[in-house]
Every structure is written in C-alpha cells, then in structure tokens.
C-alpha cells in the first residue's frame, strides 16, 4: 500500500459461536477458559459408525435471534453469519454510509452443506417437486455475504473468499484491501461455517485430522499439549465492521483497533499438509504491510488446531519470520482449545479475539494443556489468561487452510 | 376426506405465516398474494408446494399465476380435491 492509502480501523464486532451468542459473552468465556466440546446428542456414531461423536456446537438457538421465515431462507451457516452481522453493525453504531461506499466480504469454508444434503434427502424420499425453491441461494458459498449485503444495502461489492480454514481471516484481509484501494469506506467482513454433520465429520475423521478422544471430549482440543491428537470440529460465525480511519473519525465512531497489515501466500506444496515457507511469507508480509517491527508483536492468536504436526510448525514459522531475537515478547494462544475449529468462521472469530485482547490488554488462555510440548518454541498462555503490557502493541492472527492458503493479519492499538 | 373452504383458508394462513411471517389473521379471501401480502414468486412456490402436501392436491405451475388472491387459491384447492 502507498503512504496515501487510508488506514483501516475496526469499529464493530459480532459473533455467534460455541462460546457465546455475542462478542461480550464469548470473550468473557474465553478468558474464563471454558471448553465447549461435548458428545453430540444424536445417534450418528451408532447409525453411521462415526469414529468421532463430539464437537463444539453453537451456544444458542438461531430462532431466538431470527424470525422463522428468515431462518427458513438461510442455511445454518447463513443464520450464524446474519446474527453476527446484525450484532457487529449495531456495535459499530449502525453507520450512516453511502450504499455505494459500503461492501461485504463474508466467506465460508464449506458453506451450505446441511441444505444440500437435507434437500437431497427430500429429492430421494419425497420427490423433486418438494425441494425448497430457496435451495440454491441457501447452499451457495456466497449466501451469507449476499444476505448481509441485502440486509444493509451494501452496493460497493459483495465478495466471498473461499479458502477452507483460512477463509475468515482472508475475508478480513480482502476487506482491508477494499478500503485501502478506495473501493469502500465501510466493509462488513468475516466468515462462517456450520458443518457439524455426519458427512464432514466422516471426511475429516478419515483424513485423520480430528481428535478421537471420545472418552473425554472436553479436553480433546489441546493445542501445544504433548498428547494432542487432532482438532475438534466447531461451528459459528464472526463478523467485523472495518472502516477507513477518516470515515470512522468523522462520524465519531468508537475505534477498537487498527487493522494494520495483512499477508497472503499460497504454498504450491500439498492439498492438506502445511508448508513453513508459505506461512513465513504471509507473516513477514503482514508485519511489513503493518509498518511494524517484529518486536512490536505482543501476542499471536495462532491457527493452532491441536494437530501433532501443525501446531509446532506454525510457531516455528512465527519465530523464523519474526526472528528468534525479536520474538521473546510474544505470548501465543490458540482459542481453538475452547471453541473448536470453526473452519470458515475461525479466522474471523479469532480476529475478534485478537482485537479484544489488544483492547483489553489481556490474552486468553490455551486450555487443556497438561504437559506442554517441549518443542514449542515460543511462550504460550498455558491454561490461564495473561496480561498484555500497556503501550504500543501489535497482535498477529494466523489462519491456514487446506489447499495451502496462508493468511496473516496484524492489528495494532488505536 | 375433503377439506371445507374454512379449513383450507386456515391451513393456507398457517403456511403463509410459516413461510413469510405474515400474520394468519391478515390472510383473508380478498387479499392479493403479491399486492397485499407482499409475497414474491419464489415464496409463492413454497406456499404452493406446502399446500399441495397439506391438502393432497396438485397445483400445476401454469395455474399458479392465476391464483391472484387467497380466495382464488382456496377455490382452486377446493375444486381440485373434489
């Protein structure tokens, strides 16, 4: 970006996830170290032979937030995103903005899997005529972005990054770029997914990505623990309202933080295995783009999914990208230890936690660590929250996805 | 077993409410689906499909455009089930 590019600020937060049905509750529960993983209240394991029968489901019923007709036109992933978007917009003070200067960038890692499979069941059991005519607009990956665009009258563009588990952070990154490129003054951005369904569970289980700790689901998501054995599937959405600094200040908005830099890289390596090269390039680019020094980083909200290989290689990437001598003030945490892995929602909810950590000067814990892996190369907030020192600070949020998508976003204090 | 016109109206009102949020009391015989109840063509199709299932009738697509008012729909369903 040039020196003339607008600076981007975060003015609104909203989320619907396993820790809470709003940002304030989610944040409180994150600081309290609440685990949300539970054995699913259904017979999938028995009926289908699923090896993993637990997950992190959202904290509330969407029908307490949406009317029944609204809910019937939205896949669960769209429902979560709409609830979060309304919260974020209200939190931002419902900005009065020219529709031609308002955009949405809301991605989904997988999208309307429930709609697609429910409606396929209807085709088979009751015939094609019974299929909901809203099926396609419900299952398409851009459904959430489109519904939010319509809800808030955003005419500057409606976009849908799809990059698996990097989606939410990539949406934030593109949202920042839209403002910095002058295409919008305000962008509603984030990500969502609702994939706790036997098919994705089976797929993730068979690629050996999921924890199989069925006897103790509460402690199954344990990034950086010596005995971690995979991620726990979660669901939910996170939405941030981004604005140009000038626009936000002119309307007297409350500013949480600056969205200062983003890095985006691809591995060209493997469809599911991570690559340190791409991760490091993304992190370096985000730091450079933010105009900070690596030593300004006080906290990393890590991708940290609780897989044996991924957790350590990510932290080595952070150390190597920042430089070992400059990374001694970084405190790492993976909030996936509490929320599970929200897939397309992950990077967005974790961006929200990054902003709140910066704003409140407290770093949420990584829970369920019984024995810290001796190969962890950075300081981790083990089981307890940590204070973040006062003064200028930067926070890094990483998100990596199947396909070799590497996204890094840097937030700095307002 | 055939439904009375009152039963069809009440059943349609429930479907309309479920699909669109329009109050059941507002679903009256003289109301136009599009002009009075603000129901778009896609929602109309979901109402038709649900009505077919509820009243065990078939409403061909080419008939749907003739169902301007709630009364038209009640009349069509009533005769179709006979």
């Amino acid at each position: 970006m040039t020196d003339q590019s607008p600076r981007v600020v975060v003015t609104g937060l909203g989320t619907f996830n396993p820790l809470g049905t709003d940002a304030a509750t989610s944040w409180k529960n994150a600081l309290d170290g609440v685990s949300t993983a539970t054995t699913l209240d259904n017979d999938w394991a028995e009926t289908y032979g699923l090896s993993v029968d637990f997950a992190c489901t959202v904290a509330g019923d969407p029908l307490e937030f949406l009317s029944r007709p609204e809910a019937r036109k939205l896949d669960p992933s769209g429902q979560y995103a709409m609830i979060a978007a309304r919260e974020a917009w209200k939190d931002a003070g419902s900005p009065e903005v020219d529709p031609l200067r308002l955009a949405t960038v809301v991605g989904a890692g997988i999208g309307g899997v429930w709609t697609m499979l429910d409606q396929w069941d209807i085709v088979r059991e009751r015939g094609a005529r019974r299929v909901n005519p809203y099926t396609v607009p419900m299952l398409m990956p851009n459904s959430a972005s489109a519904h939010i665009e319509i809800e808030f009258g955003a005419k500057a563009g409606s976009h849908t990054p799809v990059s698996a588990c990097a989606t939410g952070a990539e949406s934030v990154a593109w949202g920042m770029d839209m403002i910095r490129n002058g295409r919008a003054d305000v962008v509603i951005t984030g990500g969502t997914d609702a994939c706790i369904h036997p098919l994705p569970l089976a797929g993730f289980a068979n690629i050996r990505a999921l924890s199989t700790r069925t006897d103790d689901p509460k402690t199954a998501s344990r990034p950086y623990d010596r005995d971690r054995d995979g991620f726990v599937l979660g669901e939910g959405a996170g939405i941030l309202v981004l604005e140009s600094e000038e626009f936000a200040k002119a309307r007297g908005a409350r500013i949480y933080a600056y969205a200062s830099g983003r890095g985006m890289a691809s591995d060209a390596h493997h469809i599911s295995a991570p690559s340190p090269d791409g991760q490091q390039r993304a992190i370096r680019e985000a730091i450079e783009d933010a105009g900070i020094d690596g030593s300004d980083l006080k906290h990393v909200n890590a991708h940290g999914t609780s897989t044996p290989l991924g957790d350590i290689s990510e932290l080595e990437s952070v150390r190597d990208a920042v430089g070992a001598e400059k990374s001694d003030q970084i405190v790492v945490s993976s909030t996936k230890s509490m929320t599970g892995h929200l897939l397309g929602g992950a990077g967005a909810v974790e961006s929200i936690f990054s902003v709140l950590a910066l704003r409140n000067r407290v770093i949420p814990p990584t829970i369920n660590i019984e024995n810290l892996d001796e190969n962890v190369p950075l300081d981790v907030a083990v089981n307890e929250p940590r204070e973040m020192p006062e003064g200028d600070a930067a926070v890094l949020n990483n998100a990596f996805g199947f396909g070799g998508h590497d996204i890094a976003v840097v937030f700095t204090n307002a | 077993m055939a439904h009375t016109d009152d039963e069809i109206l009440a059943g349609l009102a429930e479907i309309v409410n479920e699909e669109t949020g329009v109050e059941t009391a507002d679903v009256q015989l003289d109301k136009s689906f599009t002009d009075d109840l603000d129901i778009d063509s896609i929602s109309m199709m979901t109402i038709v499909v649900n009505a077919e299932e509820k009243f065990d009738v078939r409403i061909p697509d080419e008939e749907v455009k003739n169902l301007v008012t709630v009364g038209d729909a009640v009349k069509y369903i009533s005769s179709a089930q006979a």
Side-chain angles (χ1 to χ4, degrees):
Chain A
M1 292 296 133
T2 66
D3 288 344
Q4 289 78 37
S5 299
R7 293 186 75 190
V8 180
V9 295
V10 181
T11 58
L13 305 174
T15 179
F16 192 80
N17 73 73
L19 278 174
T21 57
D22 58 61
T25 308
S26 303
W27 180 240
K28 181 188 176 297
N29 286 334
L31 294 182
D32 286 348
V34 173
S35 173
T36 61
T38 51
T39 303
L40 291 166
D41 183 20
N42 56 42
D43 59 1
W44 295 346
E46 203 175 313
T47 307
Y48 306 119
L50 271 181
S51 57
V52 175
D53 63 353
F54 60 97
C56 301
T57 54
V58 287
D61 179 356
L63 282 172
E64 288 174 19
F65 300 83
L66 300 171
S67 72
R68 190 168 288 274
E70 278 180 325
R72 288 170 69 88
K73 292 176 187 172
L74 291 167
D75 180 80
S77 59
Q79 294 173 6
Y80 305 163
M82 180 58 78
I83 295 166
R86 285 179 179 161
E87 182 196 356
W89 190 251
K90 194 174 165 204
D91 188 49
S94 305
E96 283 186 26
V97 54
D98 177 354
L100 296 171
R101 302 293 301 160
L102 173 65
T104 61
V105 185
V106 181
I110 293 181
V113 65
W114 271 104
T115 298
M116 181 178 285
L117 296 169
D118 277 353
Q119 296 298 317
W120 173 231
D121 286 346
I122 288 174
V123 171
R124 288 189 301 181
E125 290 162 16
R126 295 159 70 195
R129 190 165 171 80
R130 300 288 178 231
V131 166
N132 184 338
Y134 287 104
T135 296
V136 172
M138 286 166 75
L139 67 81
M140 61 194 192
N142 57 315
S143 185
S145 193
H147 276 99
I148 293 166
E149 157 226 324
I150 294 162
E151 169 93 358
F152 297 103
K155 296 186 175 180
S158 172
H159 305 287
T160 305
V162 176
S163 51
C165 308
T167 295
E170 181 168 349
S171 296
V172 173
W174 284 115
M176 291 167 62
D177 276 5
M178 283 193 82
I179 292 169
R180 301 196 297 183
N181 291 333
R183 288 198 49 213
D185 294 322
V186 182
V187 180
I188 303 167
T189 184
T192 188
D193 257 322
C195 294
I196 302 176
H197 178 286
L199 178 62
L201 272 170
F204 282 126
N206 289 355
I207 205 169
R208 300 290 184 268
L210 293 182
S211 168
T212 57
R213 199 177 292 271
T214 51
D215 58 336
D216 189 14
K218 282 231 165 314
T219 71
S221 186
R222 48 172 69 203
Y224 317 122
D225 183 83
R226 203 174 54 199
D227 300 314
R228 66 191 179 279
D229 70 332
F231 77 78
V232 177
L233 187 58
E235 59 174 355
I239 300 285
L240 299 87
V241 175
L242 305 180
E243 303 183 39
S244 77
E245 179 182 28
E246 188 183 357
F247 187 87
K249 285 191 169 165
R251 70 180 189 89
R254 179 252 342 260
I255 292 171
Y256 282 106
Y258 287 96
S260 298
R262 90 286 174 271
M264 300 192 248
S266 50
D267 293 341
H269 169 62
H270 189 276
I271 197 66
S272 61
S275 153
D277 165 62
Q279 296 177 357
Q280 288 181 32
R281 283 186 288 117
I283 294 165
R284 281 199 195 97
E285 182 184 327
I287 289 170
E288 188 180 327
D289 186 44
I292 61 164
D293 187 80
S295 59
D296 297 329
L297 280 178
K298 308 299 180 207
H299 170 43
V300 176
N301 187 310
H303 187 58
T305 58
S306 188
T307 55
L309 287 176
D311 288 9
I312 302 297
S313 87
E314 177 190 7
L315 298 191
E316 287 172 350
S317 292
V318 172
R319 180 200 61 198
D320 293 346
V322 174
E325 74 291 354
K326 289 185 174 177
S327 53
D328 61 336
Q329 291 186 62
I330 294 173
V331 177
V332 173
S333 203
S334 169
T335 43
K336 287 189 182 77
S337 59
M338 298 174 278
T339 61
H341 193 341
L342 310 186
L343 306 182
V349 170
E350 289 154 20
S351 283
I352 290 172
F353 288 153
S354 299
V355 165
L356 288 171
L358 195 53
R359 173 91 173 168
N360 296 299
R361 295 296 162 145
V362 57
I363 292 162
T366 304
I367 64 166
N368 298 326
I369 300 179
E370 290 171 22
N371 301 290
L372 186 67
D373 187 326
E374 61 187 15
N375 297 311
V376 167
L378 295 171
D379 189 11
V380 171
V382 176
N383 297 327
E384 297 290 335
R386 293 267 199 98
E387 277 186 31
M388 195 191 301
E390 293 299 324
D392 283 342
V395 173
L396 171 69
N397 176 216
N398 287 336
F400 311 131
F402 278 3
H405 309 281
D406 306 295
I407 307 294
V409 180
V410 168
F411 299 95
T412 53
N413 56 287
Chain B
M1 170 127 170
H3 300 270
T4 66
D5 285 6
D6 283 350
E7 286 168 353
I8 295 169
L9 176 62
L12 267 180
E14 278 174 27
I15 292 168
V16 169
N17 174 258
E18 180 88 350
E19 293 296 329
T20 68
V22 171
E23 295 293 333
T24 52
D26 293 338
V27 183
Q28 299 292 341
L29 293 175
D30 61 339
K31 293 287 171 63
S32 155
F33 285 108
T34 49
D35 296 343
D36 297 321
L37 303 180
D38 202 23
I39 291 169
D40 65 25
S41 59
I42 302 180
S43 293
M44 190 65 195
M45 282 312 301
T46 67
I47 290 164
V48 164
V49 169
N50 279 292
E52 286 182 335
E53 195 156 46
K54 188 167 197 135
F55 303 114
D56 195 22
V57 295
R58 181 71 205 263
I59 308 173
D61 286 355
E62 58 272 21
E63 278 299 331
V64 174
K65 65 177 185 302
N66 299 325
L67 307 180
V68 176
T69 66
V70 174
D72 295 338
V74 171
K75 202 169 147 193
Y76 188 89
I77 292 165
S78 182
S79 60
Q81 66 178 355

